[in-house]
Amino acid sequence: MAPTGNKGKRKQRPSRKGTNIGESNTTDVQTGLHSSRTGLRELDLGAPLELQQLLLDVFQNTFSTQFNDSLSKKVQEVKQHLFNRDFTHAFGDQAFLDAYAMRWSPSRALAYFDIFKNLFENHMQLLSYLRRLHPDLSDKSEQIDISVIPSPQALPSLLQQEGTITHIKVLSLGGGSGAEVVALAGLLCDIGRSAKSIGSTGGDLRQPKMIVEVTAVDIADWSSIISRLNTSLTTMLAIPGHALGEVPNDIASNFDQDSFRVKFGQHDLLKMEVSQMKTLLENCTLVTFMFTLNELYSISLSETTKCLLSITDLIQQGSLLLVVDSPGSYSTVNIGRDAKSHATEKQKEPSAQRNYPMLWLLDRTLLHTAVDGTGKLSNQGKQWEKLRGNDSTWFRLPPGLKYPIEIENMRYQIHMYRRL
């Protein structure tokens, strides 16, 4: 992650007082190109408040002894380093890493859970999985607009199916702070809950089995935090009702230590060898840049473009690329500040500096540069299909959630692409 994520630009912070989160309304996240006519939401009872609270409790349990008077000071120090774009100090100390994960990762985990939930339902063959789980689901076909679900032919490799096992492999680039890991664990629990709610009452929720494997990659050493969060997840989610006495037992009905696999790799994304990237992308279902890509562009336009083109070259057909970042003017790149490829031009022509939206650079790289590229990408035509784009949307925390320190809503832009 560091230097990744729009860490120093969180200027849009809605006011929130106390630890009892009471602001209403959840985010209105688009559900894709066909959102106006999809019937999938009829099958979705909504993520229960208990599950969202349980995800917050994972963070509280992981850092239980560290919610003390010194935390506020650490958070302020991290914010100052991020404001100064001093990522070496912001993420070079374990105490700062802990403070960051305690302060910002919980609310992001809930927002990412909401994003992953919508993505999975609308683009990753939820119905295919549920039909294999409960054959009688076919009786509910009148409620569903099947045209919005990619056919197996359209997504030949999207879900790695091993007999009765569905295997989803996620590569989280810049995901060291743990938000993506916790969000995906929540998704796995919610899939089991949804399957039970719309399937036969006597169905076996563990057959067929779904496995989620997530690899978080970051430039800083977040290994301790990822390991500790994973321990909390396997303890609190694998034992129904362990964290809160009132949590329904079916919350964790599709989660066990074997169904959720977590790895961490410390790499500088802009300096990775092709062989390293190839290993990470092997059989990958989904690649994410969550509050990461704009920071990479700000460090080096040329190296970030090279990274995206490498992903294009190595990723399997049918896989998805998800980009979430700060909206609007918070995600712009000053080309003149690209130290690696524009230092000379900046000295000679200061007036040549220009600001470009991150989205413009991203679309240009994936939808145009990749088409006109060289090597393996040459003369192969269109490489990516854009499935979804939203320049600005909100995730709003539902009322009733509790956490020891203040957390807030999240405003973001989101874009998703599928490798052709």
Side-chain angles (χ1 to χ4, degrees), residues 87-292:
F87 301 108
T88 300
H89 285 91
F91 300 109
D93 181 87
Q94 187 62 50
F96 286 167
L97 295 178
D98 289 350
Y100 184 93
M102 295 167 69
R103 172 62 179 83
W104 287 285
S105 291
S107 54
R108 285 190 174 182
L110 296 188
Y112 296 168
F113 168 58
D114 186 75
I115 291 170
F116 289 141
K117 180 177 170 62
N118 280 275
L119 180 153
F120 188 85
E121 289 175 348
N122 292 281
H123 294 288
M124 294 174 70
Q125 295 179 300
L126 175 64
L127 293 183
S128 173
Y129 170 74
L130 292 180
R131 282 201 178 94
R132 289 186 290 114
L133 192 65
H134 294 296
D136 66 334
L137 179 60
S138 59
D139 297 337
K140 303 177 183 295
S141 59
E142 293 181 358
Q143 302 176 19
I144 304 161
D145 181 1
I146 300 298
S147 66
V148 306
I149 306 299
S151 67
Q153 292 73 28
L155 298 175
S157 305
L158 187 55
L159 299 183
Q160 305 299 319
Q161 297 179 7
E162 305 168 1
T164 59
I165 298 176
T166 297
H167 191 171
I168 299 176
K169 183 177 178 181
V170 180
L171 177 60
S172 175
L173 300 177
S177 62
E180 292 94 317
V181 170
V182 173
L184 287 163
L187 173 68
L188 187 59
C189 290
D190 193 62
I191 289 170
R193 180 192 65 86
S194 298
K196 184 175 181 179
S197 69
I198 66 177
S200 57
T201 56
D204 182 357
L205 287 175
R206 298 187 184 274
Q207 293 295 332
K209 185 176 182 178
M210 175 169 286
I211 294 175
V212 175
E213 177 182 343
V214 54
T215 300
V217 175
D218 218 305
I219 193 172
D221 185 6
W222 295 86
S223 56
S224 173
I225 288 176
I226 293 293
S227 177
R228 290 155 62 194
L229 284 171
N230 190 41
T231 297
S232 292
L233 285 168
T234 54
T235 300
M236 300 174 70
L237 299 187
I239 304 176
H242 176 83
L244 294 174
E246 65 270 22
V247 173
N249 285 344
D250 65 349
I251 288 294
S253 59
N254 202 42
F255 190 97
D256 58 52
Q257 294 184 16
D258 295 327
S259 63
F260 191 69
R261 304 170 183 175
V262 179
K263 301 177 183 177
F264 173 77
Q266 187 176 4
H267 300 284
D268 184 341
L269 295 177
L270 301 184
K271 296 180 180 179
M272 284 185 66
E273 298 292 336
V274 173
S275 58
Q276 294 175 309
M277 182 67 79
K278 183 177 181 180
T279 299
L280 291 171
L281 289 170
E282 185 176 3
N283 296 323
C284 202
T285 308
L286 171 68
V287 177
T288 67
F289 284 97
M290 312 296 265
F291 288 90
T292 295

Side-chain angles (χ1 to χ4, degrees), residues 10-17 21 23 103 107 330 394-397 406-411:
R10 307 305 301 155
K11 298 180 181 179
Q12 65 285 6
R13 298 186 184 279
S15 175
R16 183 175 299 283
K17 303 296 183 181
I21 303 165
E23 189 165 321
R103 172 62 179 83
S107 54
Y330 292 100
W394 280 95
F395 171 78
R396 300 188 186 278
L397 295 158
E406 180 184 30
I407 57 177
E408 67 250 338
N409 301 329
M410 189 181 90
R411 183 171 171 242

Side-chain angles (χ1 to χ4, degrees), residues 20-67:
N20 190 350
I21 303 165
E23 189 165 321
S24 61
N25 297 325
T26 56
T27 183
D28 181 20
V29 178
Q30 290 182 343
T31 56
L33 298 179
H34 303 279
S35 59
S36 62
R37 55 193 184 90
T38 179
L40 281 174
R41 301 303 287 181
E42 297 179 36
L43 299 179
D44 174 30
L45 303 180
L49 188 68
E50 294 89 349
L51 177 52
Q52 296 182 66
Q53 182 62 61
L54 191 54
L55 298 184
L56 291 181
D57 291 342
V58 166
F59 287 96
Q60 183 172 348
N61 179 73
T62 300
F63 303 102
S64 59
T65 63
Q66 297 172 258
F67 290 96

